[in-house]
Amino acid sequence: MHLNRPLRTLLFLLLIICSLPSCDRKDDSAKSENSKTSKLKLPDGFKVDHLYSPSEHEQGSWVAMTFDDKGRLITSDQYGALYRLELSPAGTDSISKIERLVIGKTQAQLADTTQPKIEMGYAQGLLYAFNSLYVMVNHRSNEDFAKGSGLYRLQDTDGDDQFDKITLLKELDGEGEHGPHSIVLSPDKKSIYVIAGNFTKIPQMDAYRNIPDAKVDNLLPLLKDPNGHDNVVNYHGGWIAHVDSTGTHWELISSGFRNPFDLAFNDDGEMFTYDSDMEWDFGTPWYRPTRICHVTSGSEFGWRPGTDKWSPLYPDNLPALLNIGQGSPTSMLYGGNSKFPEKYRKSVFAFDWSFGIIYAIHIQPDGASYKAEGEEFISGSPLPLTDGVIGPDGALYFMTGGRRLGSDLYRVYYSGNGEKEIQNVSNTLSDDAAQARELRRQLEAYHAEPRKGAVDFVWPSLKSGDRYIRYAARIALEHQPASQWQARALNEKDPVTLTQSMIALARRGSPAAKNSML
């Protein structure tokens, strides 16, 4: 048989390639393993282990995880079941054991093919606390999975190390990528916080730090999103709530986000989240980039559908600490429990699914709030980041996946190994900042039931030079009966105090006061 020169050359090259050691299956596996970590860019002194690929074992695409009280990792497939893993020590690219969690079913029920295939899963948030596993289901019930969106509590009632009791704490009206998301333990470890995107209606709450107004109140007419996306969402936007451990008392903390996926607390007990942009708005005057927000009591961040988004300059909402740019925010965590250099132990980490970047957000006190700078801590392409957590060993564990993409579990730890130490940063409070934060927190104590003497205490802070203090003072004023301060507001001469009190009166006063206000 006669072969032309290009074909002979091709066959010759193939013979050479297949004679190399890489054609061996074990070497192929090692090469694949190495390629997963070699694509990652890390700071000096950090190392990474690739631990597991659930998608290669037909275990779905993982998007949520938490460590239990025995140091095991519990994870969830975005469209499937829950899994529990026992991990090998740092420096080893493996896991010791993995099991699918079978919850609340007998062996007979498991064998019954008419039963739903999954008894618990489809979670976008997991938290092990109070001897329970809290699961934020994000799903419309169907024949594969009967549970609908909401917050569930799983318990082991017979001590066999398997969850056998499922309790629905609150049903939530929302699902999908803008539905209910993460669950986070409170700084004092006595309660939890939950966060949801702008496709999730705010359920009936027992208390409200700030009562969101669903009315469109801009003077200019609303231009809706021509693609139809923003036309079906809720006007209050994404929100954050505080919940007791039994799920019986819910308090709205903040609203006006687009689609924040997660939140984190720093050592000061202050809350932060990473809100998403609306990518189709890019290039318009009302485009708002992904942003890091300091979430204070009763805060509002001004997301609205279409062109009705509030400017960060508007006094009735709060601005971002840091605008990052385009992206798809997912996980957020604080480095306080990590075994990292101090610079990173005092940082908030924000995950971007689209561009495959974990940002280290370095925050420093600034008045009653903070100022922030961002650094690309870990990056890779592709690296569709979903969730992350600091493990009991002080390492950072993170996952990739989502939207049924190939999914992987990684561990990042600091070894040093003679590398030059990362320069430490100081974020201790100055006296002025300490006083400003203390005043803000005193004002926030009035963000509940009306209290005697509240108006007199709040009033001077309405003209504070610190925006976060002014905001906290106005929200405190709104929690007092308008009859106690309406006349004082209408007779006010200071322009800053007048502006803040008129906003409060517009939100909490009666229509009869309109002409006097104008």
PDB file of all heavy atoms in Angstrom, residues 258-285:
ATOM      1  N   ARG A 258     -29.034  42.401  44.276  1.00  0.00           N
ATOM      2  CA  ARG A 258     -29.480  41.670  43.087  1.00  0.00           C
ATOM      3  C   ARG A 258     -29.465  40.175  43.392  1.00  0.00           C
ATOM      4  O   ARG A 258     -30.515  39.565  43.531  1.00  0.00           O
ATOM      5  CB  ARG A 258     -28.603  41.958  41.872  1.00  0.00           C
ATOM      6  CG  ARG A 258     -29.141  41.197  40.640  1.00  0.00           C
ATOM      7  CD  ARG A 258     -28.393  41.504  39.368  1.00  0.00           C
ATOM      8  NE  ARG A 258     -29.051  40.807  38.262  1.00  0.00           N
ATOM      9  CZ  ARG A 258     -28.548  39.754  37.629  1.00  0.00           C
ATOM     10  NH1 ARG A 258     -27.378  39.257  37.971  1.00  0.00           N
ATOM     11  NH2 ARG A 258     -29.214  39.182  36.638  1.00  0.00           N
ATOM     12  N   ASN A 259     -28.281  39.612  43.534  1.00  0.00           N
ATOM     13  CA  ASN A 259     -28.222  38.167  43.765  1.00  0.00           C
ATOM     14  C   ASN A 259     -26.983  37.796  44.547  1.00  0.00           C
ATOM     15  O   ASN A 259     -26.060  37.171  44.012  1.00  0.00           O
ATOM     16  CB  ASN A 259     -28.260  37.418  42.426  1.00  0.00           C
ATOM     17  CG  ASN A 259     -28.393  35.921  42.614  1.00  0.00           C
ATOM     18  OD1 ASN A 259     -28.989  35.444  43.581  1.00  0.00           O
ATOM     19  ND2 ASN A 259     -27.827  35.151  41.695  1.00  0.00           N
ATOM     20  N   PRO A 260     -26.919  38.139  45.826  1.00  0.00           N
ATOM     21  CA  PRO A 260     -25.784  37.711  46.641  1.00  0.00           C
ATOM     22  C   PRO A 260     -25.959  36.253  47.031  1.00  0.00           C
ATOM     23  O   PRO A 260     -27.053  35.827  47.378  1.00  0.00           O
ATOM     24  CB  PRO A 260     -25.876  38.628  47.862  1.00  0.00           C
ATOM     25  CG  PRO A 260     -27.347  38.880  48.013  1.00  0.00           C
ATOM     26  CD  PRO A 260     -27.922  38.875  46.615  1.00  0.00           C
ATOM     27  N   PHE A 261     -24.892  35.479  46.967  1.00  0.00           N
ATOM     28  CA  PHE A 261     -24.993  34.041  47.213  1.00  0.00           C
ATOM     29  C   PHE A 261     -24.638  33.666  48.643  1.00  0.00           C
ATOM     30  O   PHE A 261     -25.135  32.681  49.183  1.00  0.00           O
ATOM     31  CB  PHE A 261     -24.075  33.293  46.244  1.00  0.00           C
ATOM     32  CG  PHE A 261     -24.389  31.845  46.091  1.00  0.00           C
ATOM     33  CD1 PHE A 261     -25.220  31.409  45.068  1.00  0.00           C
ATOM     34  CD2 PHE A 261     -23.873  30.905  46.959  1.00  0.00           C
ATOM     35  CE1 PHE A 261     -25.522  30.053  44.934  1.00  0.00           C
ATOM     36  CE2 PHE A 261     -24.168  29.553  46.831  1.00  0.00           C
ATOM     37  CZ  PHE A 261     -24.996  29.131  45.815  1.00  0.00           C
ATOM     38  N   ASP A 262     -23.759  34.455  49.267  1.00  0.00           N
ATOM     39  CA  ASP A 262     -23.206  34.047  50.561  1.00  0.00           C
ATOM     40  C   ASP A 262     -22.864  35.294  51.365  1.00  0.00           C
ATOM     41  O   ASP A 262     -22.843  36.416  50.839  1.00  0.00           O
ATOM     42  CB  ASP A 262     -21.949  33.197  50.332  1.00  0.00           C
ATOM     43  CG  ASP A 262     -21.637  32.257  51.492  1.00  0.00           C
ATOM     44  OD1 ASP A 262     -22.313  32.352  52.538  1.00  0.00           O
ATOM     45  OD2 ASP A 262     -20.721  31.430  51.356  1.00  0.00           O
ATOM     46  N   LEU A 263     -22.574  35.105  52.643  1.00  0.00           N
ATOM     47  CA  LEU A 263     -22.173  36.205  53.517  1.00  0.00           C
ATOM     48  C   LEU A 263     -21.111  35.706  54.483  1.00  0.00           C
ATOM     49  O   LEU A 263     -20.933  34.500  54.663  1.00  0.00           O
ATOM     50  CB  LEU A 263     -23.372  36.778  54.268  1.00  0.00           C
ATOM     51  CG  LEU A 263     -24.140  35.839  55.202  1.00  0.00           C
ATOM     52  CD1 LEU A 263     -23.636  35.964  56.634  1.00  0.00           C
ATOM     53  CD2 LEU A 263     -25.636  36.155  55.176  1.00  0.00           C
ATOM     54  N   ALA A 264     -20.404  36.648  55.114  1.00  0.00           N
ATOM     55  CA  ALA A 264     -19.339  36.280  56.053  1.00  0.00           C
ATOM     56  C   ALA A 264     -19.228  37.344  57.129  1.00  0.00           C
ATOM     57  O   ALA A 264     -19.524  38.516  56.892  1.00  0.00           O
ATOM     58  CB  ALA A 264     -18.008  36.130  55.314  1.00  0.00           C
ATOM     59  N   PHE A 265     -18.787  36.917  58.314  1.00  0.00           N
ATOM     60  CA  PHE A 265     -18.550  37.821  59.430  1.00  0.00           C
ATOM     61  C   PHE A 265     -17.057  37.886  59.720  1.00  0.00           C
ATOM     62  O   PHE A 265     -16.370  36.868  59.690  1.00  0.00           O
ATOM     63  CB  PHE A 265     -19.271  37.326  60.687  1.00  0.00           C
ATOM     64  CG  PHE A 265     -20.766  37.379  60.605  1.00  0.00           C
ATOM     65  CD1 PHE A 265     -21.496  36.266  60.199  1.00  0.00           C
ATOM     66  CD2 PHE A 265     -21.458  38.537  60.933  1.00  0.00           C
ATOM     67  CE1 PHE A 265     -22.883  36.307  60.132  1.00  0.00           C
ATOM     68  CE2 PHE A 265     -22.836  38.589  60.878  1.00  0.00           C
ATOM     69  CZ  PHE A 265     -23.555  37.472  60.471  1.00  0.00           C
ATOM     70  N   ASN A 266     -16.558  39.091  60.036  1.00  0.00           N
ATOM     71  CA  ASN A 266     -15.166  39.208  60.447  1.00  0.00           C
ATOM     72  C   ASN A 266     -15.044  39.109  61.964  1.00  0.00           C
ATOM     73  O   ASN A 266     -16.028  38.839  62.665  1.00  0.00           O
ATOM     74  CB  ASN A 266     -14.551  40.501  59.898  1.00  0.00           C
ATOM     75  CG  ASN A 266     -15.123  41.757  60.552  1.00  0.00           C
ATOM     76  OD1 ASN A 266     -16.041  41.695  61.379  1.00  0.00           O
ATOM     77  ND2 ASN A 266     -14.585  42.896  60.192  1.00  0.00           N
ATOM     78  N   ASP A 267     -13.848  39.347  62.480  1.00  0.00           N
ATOM     79  CA  ASP A 267     -13.618  39.217  63.921  1.00  0.00           C
ATOM     80  C   ASP A 267     -14.419  40.226  64.744  1.00  0.00           C
ATOM     81  O   ASP A 267     -14.655  40.013  65.934  1.00  0.00           O
ATOM     82  CB  ASP A 267     -12.124  39.401  64.237  1.00  0.00           C
ATOM     83  CG  ASP A 267     -11.284  38.229  63.759  1.00  0.00           C
ATOM     84  OD1 ASP A 267     -11.827  37.115  63.645  1.00  0.00           O
ATOM     85  OD2 ASP A 267     -10.081  38.428  63.483  1.00  0.00           O
ATOM     86  N   ASP A 268     -14.813  41.322  64.112  1.00  0.00           N
ATOM     87  CA  ASP A 268     -15.602  42.340  64.805  1.00  0.00           C
ATOM     88  C   ASP A 268     -17.098  42.018  64.810  1.00  0.00           C
ATOM     89  O   ASP A 268     -17.889  42.800  65.337  1.00  0.00           O
ATOM     90  CB  ASP A 268     -15.391  43.710  64.144  1.00  0.00           C
ATOM     91  CG  ASP A 268     -13.934  44.147  64.176  1.00  0.00           C
ATOM     92  OD1 ASP A 268     -13.266  43.891  65.194  1.00  0.00           O
ATOM     93  OD2 ASP A 268     -13.467  44.738  63.186  1.00  0.00           O
ATOM     94  N   GLY A 269     -17.470  40.884  64.194  1.00  0.00           N
ATOM     95  CA  GLY A 269     -18.879  40.538  64.111  1.00  0.00           C
ATOM     96  C   GLY A 269     -19.632  41.324  63.060  1.00  0.00           C
ATOM     97  O   GLY A 269     -20.866  41.357  63.062  1.00  0.00           O
ATOM     98  N   GLU A 270     -18.900  41.962  62.148  1.00  0.00           N
ATOM     99  CA  GLU A 270     -19.528  42.739  61.084  1.00  0.00           C
ATOM    100  C   GLU A 270     -19.738  41.847  59.852  1.00  0.00           C
ATOM    101  O   GLU A 270     -18.905  40.992  59.535  1.00  0.00           O
ATOM    102  CB  GLU A 270     -18.668  43.944  60.717  1.00  0.00           C
ATOM    103  CG  GLU A 270     -18.444  44.916  61.871  1.00  0.00           C
ATOM    104  CD  GLU A 270     -19.674  45.757  62.194  1.00  0.00           C
ATOM    105  OE1 GLU A 270     -20.567  45.862  61.340  1.00  0.00           O
ATOM    106  OE2 GLU A 270     -19.742  46.306  63.307  1.00  0.00           O
ATOM    107  N   MET A 271     -20.852  42.071  59.165  1.00  0.00           N
ATOM    108  CA  MET A 271     -21.263  41.206  58.060  1.00  0.00           C
ATOM    109  C   MET A 271     -20.906  41.810  56.701  1.00  0.00           C
ATOM    110  O   MET A 271     -21.040  43.013  56.496  1.00  0.00           O
ATOM    111  CB  MET A 271     -22.776  40.983  58.126  1.00  0.00           C
ATOM    112  CG  MET A 271     -23.316  39.985  57.108  1.00  0.00           C
ATOM    113  SD  MET A 271     -25.131  40.061  56.920  1.00  0.00           S
ATOM    114  CE  MET A 271     -25.684  39.915  58.616  1.00  0.00           C
ATOM    115  N   PHE A 272     -20.502  40.922  55.777  1.00  0.00           N
ATOM    116  CA  PHE A 272     -20.170  41.333  54.418  1.00  0.00           C
ATOM    117  C   PHE A 272     -20.804  40.363  53.428  1.00  0.00           C
ATOM    118  O   PHE A 272     -20.961  39.173  53.716  1.00  0.00           O
ATOM    119  CB  PHE A 272     -18.648  41.355  54.218  1.00  0.00           C
ATOM    120  CG  PHE A 272     -17.927  42.249  55.180  1.00  0.00           C
ATOM    121  CD1 PHE A 272     -17.534  41.766  56.423  1.00  0.00           C
ATOM    122  CD2 PHE A 272     -17.654  43.568  54.861  1.00  0.00           C
ATOM    123  CE1 PHE A 272     -16.882  42.589  57.328  1.00  0.00           C
ATOM    124  CE2 PHE A 272     -17.004  44.391  55.759  1.00  0.00           C
ATOM    125  CZ  PHE A 272     -16.625  43.903  56.995  1.00  0.00           C
ATOM    126  N   THR A 273     -21.136  40.884  52.248  1.00  0.00           N
ATOM    127  CA  THR A 273     -21.622  40.013  51.179  1.00  0.00           C
ATOM    128  C   THR A 273     -21.055  40.506  49.853  1.00  0.00           C
ATOM    129  O   THR A 273     -20.499  41.603  49.758  1.00  0.00           O
ATOM    130  CB  THR A 273     -23.158  39.966  51.138  1.00  0.00           C
ATOM    131  OG1 THR A 273     -23.571  38.891  50.276  1.00  0.00           O
ATOM    132  CG2 THR A 273     -23.758  41.263  50.614  1.00  0.00           C
ATOM    133  N   TYR A 274     -21.182  39.658  48.839  1.00  0.00           N
ATOM    134  CA  TYR A 274     -20.665  39.940  47.493  1.00  0.00           C
ATOM    135  C   TYR A 274     -21.857  39.877  46.545  1.00  0.00           C
ATOM    136  O   TYR A 274     -22.360  38.796  46.236  1.00  0.00           O
ATOM    137  CB  TYR A 274     -19.593  38.901  47.151  1.00  0.00           C
ATOM    138  CG  TYR A 274     -18.897  39.075  45.820  1.00  0.00           C
ATOM    139  CD1 TYR A 274     -18.844  40.301  45.161  1.00  0.00           C
ATOM    140  CD2 TYR A 274     -18.250  37.994  45.221  1.00  0.00           C
ATOM    141  CE1 TYR A 274     -18.193  40.451  43.953  1.00  0.00           C
ATOM    142  CE2 TYR A 274     -17.585  38.124  44.008  1.00  0.00           C
ATOM    143  CZ  TYR A 274     -17.560  39.351  43.376  1.00  0.00           C
ATOM    144  OH  TYR A 274     -16.909  39.482  42.173  1.00  0.00           O
ATOM    145  N   ASP A 275     -22.326  41.045  46.095  1.00  0.00           N
ATOM    146  CA  ASP A 275     -23.531  41.114  45.268  1.00  0.00           C
ATOM    147  C   ASP A 275     -23.167  41.060  43.785  1.00  0.00           C
ATOM    148  O   ASP A 275     -22.085  41.495  43.377  1.00  0.00           O
ATOM    149  CB  ASP A 275     -24.297  42.401  45.573  1.00  0.00           C
ATOM    150  CG  ASP A 275     -25.731  42.368  45.054  1.00  0.00           C
ATOM    151  OD1 ASP A 275     -26.224  41.261  44.740  1.00  0.00           O
ATOM    152  OD2 ASP A 275     -26.358  43.435  44.968  1.00  0.00           O
ATOM    153  N   SER A 276     -24.107  40.542  42.985  1.00  0.00           N
ATOM    154  CA  SER A 276     -23.847  40.358  41.558  1.00  0.00           C
ATOM    155  C   SER A 276     -24.250  41.593  40.756  1.00  0.00           C
ATOM    156  O   SER A 276     -24.985  42.458  41.222  1.00  0.00           O
ATOM    157  CB  SER A 276     -24.604  39.136  41.037  1.00  0.00           C
ATOM    158  OG  SER A 276     -25.990  39.380  41.056  1.00  0.00           O
ATOM    159  N   ASP A 277     -23.755  41.644  39.533  1.00  0.00           N
ATOM    160  CA  ASP A 277     -24.165  42.688  38.603  1.00  0.00           C
ATOM    161  C   ASP A 277     -25.309  42.161  37.740  1.00  0.00           C
ATOM    162  O   ASP A 277     -25.714  41.008  37.857  1.00  0.00           O
ATOM    163  CB  ASP A 277     -22.995  43.105  37.715  1.00  0.00           C
ATOM    164  CG  ASP A 277     -22.478  41.966  36.827  1.00  0.00           C
ATOM    165  OD1 ASP A 277     -22.788  40.787  37.123  1.00  0.00           O
ATOM    166  OD2 ASP A 277     -21.753  42.248  35.860  1.00  0.00           O
ATOM    167  N   MET A 278     -25.862  43.030  36.896  1.00  0.00           N
ATOM    168  CA  MET A 278     -26.790  42.604  35.852  1.00  0.00           C
ATOM    169  C   MET A 278     -26.034  42.767  34.539  1.00  0.00           C
ATOM    170  O   MET A 278     -25.874  43.879  34.035  1.00  0.00           O
ATOM    171  CB  MET A 278     -28.063  43.459  35.872  1.00  0.00           C
ATOM    172  CG  MET A 278     -29.014  43.174  34.721  1.00  0.00           C
ATOM    173  SD  MET A 278     -29.360  41.420  34.521  1.00  0.00           S
ATOM    174  CE  MET A 278     -30.686  41.491  33.335  1.00  0.00           C
ATOM    175  N   GLU A 279     -25.504  41.636  34.028  1.00  0.00           N
ATOM    176  CA  GLU A 279     -24.570  41.707  32.911  1.00  0.00           C
ATOM    177  C   GLU A 279     -25.167  42.347  31.656  1.00  0.00           C
ATOM    178  O   GLU A 279     -24.461  42.978  30.874  1.00  0.00           O
ATOM    179  CB  GLU A 279     -24.015  40.312  32.587  1.00  0.00           C
ATOM    180  CG  GLU A 279     -25.054  39.258  32.260  1.00  0.00           C
ATOM    181  CD  GLU A 279     -25.564  38.519  33.489  1.00  0.00           C
ATOM    182  OE1 GLU A 279     -25.534  39.093  34.593  1.00  0.00           O
ATOM    183  OE2 GLU A 279     -26.011  37.372  33.326  1.00  0.00           O
ATOM    184  N   TRP A 280     -26.497  42.220  31.492  1.00  0.00           N
ATOM    185  CA  TRP A 280     -27.117  42.806  30.303  1.00  0.00           C
ATOM    186  C   TRP A 280     -27.213  44.327  30.397  1.00  0.00           C
ATOM    187  O   TRP A 280     -27.506  44.990  29.412  1.00  0.00           O
ATOM    188  CB  TRP A 280     -28.513  42.215  30.093  1.00  0.00           C
ATOM    189  CG  TRP A 280     -28.484  40.743  29.830  1.00  0.00           C
ATOM    190  CD1 TRP A 280     -27.407  40.001  29.431  1.00  0.00           C
ATOM    191  CD2 TRP A 280     -29.564  39.823  29.986  1.00  0.00           C
ATOM    192  NE1 TRP A 280     -27.752  38.672  29.324  1.00  0.00           N
ATOM    193  CE2 TRP A 280     -29.080  38.531  29.654  1.00  0.00           C
ATOM    194  CE3 TRP A 280     -30.896  39.951  30.368  1.00  0.00           C
ATOM    195  CZ2 TRP A 280     -29.867  37.396  29.690  1.00  0.00           C
ATOM    196  CZ3 TRP A 280     -31.688  38.811  30.403  1.00  0.00           C
ATOM    197  CH2 TRP A 280     -31.183  37.559  30.071  1.00  0.00           C
ATOM    198  N   ASP A 281     -26.984  44.881  31.579  1.00  0.00           N
ATOM    199  CA  ASP A 281     -26.982  46.341  31.750  1.00  0.00           C
ATOM    200  C   ASP A 281     -25.628  46.954  31.409  1.00  0.00           C
ATOM    201  O   ASP A 281     -25.490  48.185  31.452  1.00  0.00           O
ATOM    202  CB  ASP A 281     -27.318  46.719  33.200  1.00  0.00           C
ATOM    203  CG  ASP A 281     -28.795  46.523  33.527  1.00  0.00           C
ATOM    204  OD1 ASP A 281     -29.592  46.385  32.593  1.00  0.00           O
ATOM    205  OD2 ASP A 281     -29.126  46.504  34.728  1.00  0.00           O
ATOM    206  N   PHE A 282     -24.642  46.126  31.116  1.00  0.00           N
ATOM    207  CA  PHE A 282     -23.286  46.640  30.921  1.00  0.00           C
ATOM    208  C   PHE A 282     -23.279  47.720  29.835  1.00  0.00           C
ATOM    209  O   PHE A 282     -23.819  47.538  28.747  1.00  0.00           O
ATOM    210  CB  PHE A 282     -22.338  45.501  30.538  1.00  0.00           C
ATOM    211  CG  PHE A 282     -20.897  45.896  30.549  1.00  0.00           C
ATOM    212  CD1 PHE A 282     -20.220  46.061  31.741  1.00  0.00           C
ATOM    213  CD2 PHE A 282     -20.208  46.115  29.369  1.00  0.00           C
ATOM    214  CE1 PHE A 282     -18.881  46.441  31.765  1.00  0.00           C
ATOM    215  CE2 PHE A 282     -18.874  46.484  29.374  1.00  0.00           C
ATOM    216  CZ  PHE A 282     -18.216  46.653  30.579  1.00  0.00           C
ATOM    217  N   GLY A 283     -22.656  48.853  30.152  1.00  0.00           N
ATOM    218  CA  GLY A 283     -22.591  49.968  29.209  1.00  0.00           C
ATOM    219  C   GLY A 283     -23.691  50.986  29.379  1.00  0.00           C
ATOM    220  O   GLY A 283     -23.655  52.051  28.751  1.00  0.00           O
ATOM    221  N   THR A 284     -24.675  50.696  30.228  1.00  0.00           N
ATOM    222  CA  THR A 284     -25.756  51.656  30.472  1.00  0.00           C
ATOM    223  C   THR A 284     -25.434  52.485  31.721  1.00  0.00           C
ATOM    224  O   THR A 284     -24.634  52.072  32.561  1.00  0.00           O
ATOM    225  CB  THR A 284     -27.098  50.939  30.690  1.00  0.00           C
ATOM    226  OG1 THR A 284     -27.028  50.175  31.913  1.00  0.00           O
ATOM    227  CG2 THR A 284     -27.402  49.997  29.533  1.00  0.00           C
ATOM    228  N   PRO A 285     -26.081  53.638  31.879  1.00  0.00           N
ATOM    229  CA  PRO A 285     -25.820  54.464  33.073  1.00  0.00           C
ATOM    230  C   PRO A 285     -26.228  53.779  34.370  1.00  0.00           C
ATOM    231  O   PRO A 285     -25.721  54.134  35.433  1.00  0.00           O
ATOM    232  CB  PRO A 285     -26.666  55.721  32.825  1.00  0.00           C
ATOM    233  CG  PRO A 285     -26.901  55.751  31.356  1.00  0.00           C
ATOM    234  CD  PRO A 285     -26.966  54.324  30.916  1.00  0.00           C
TER     235      PRO A 285
END
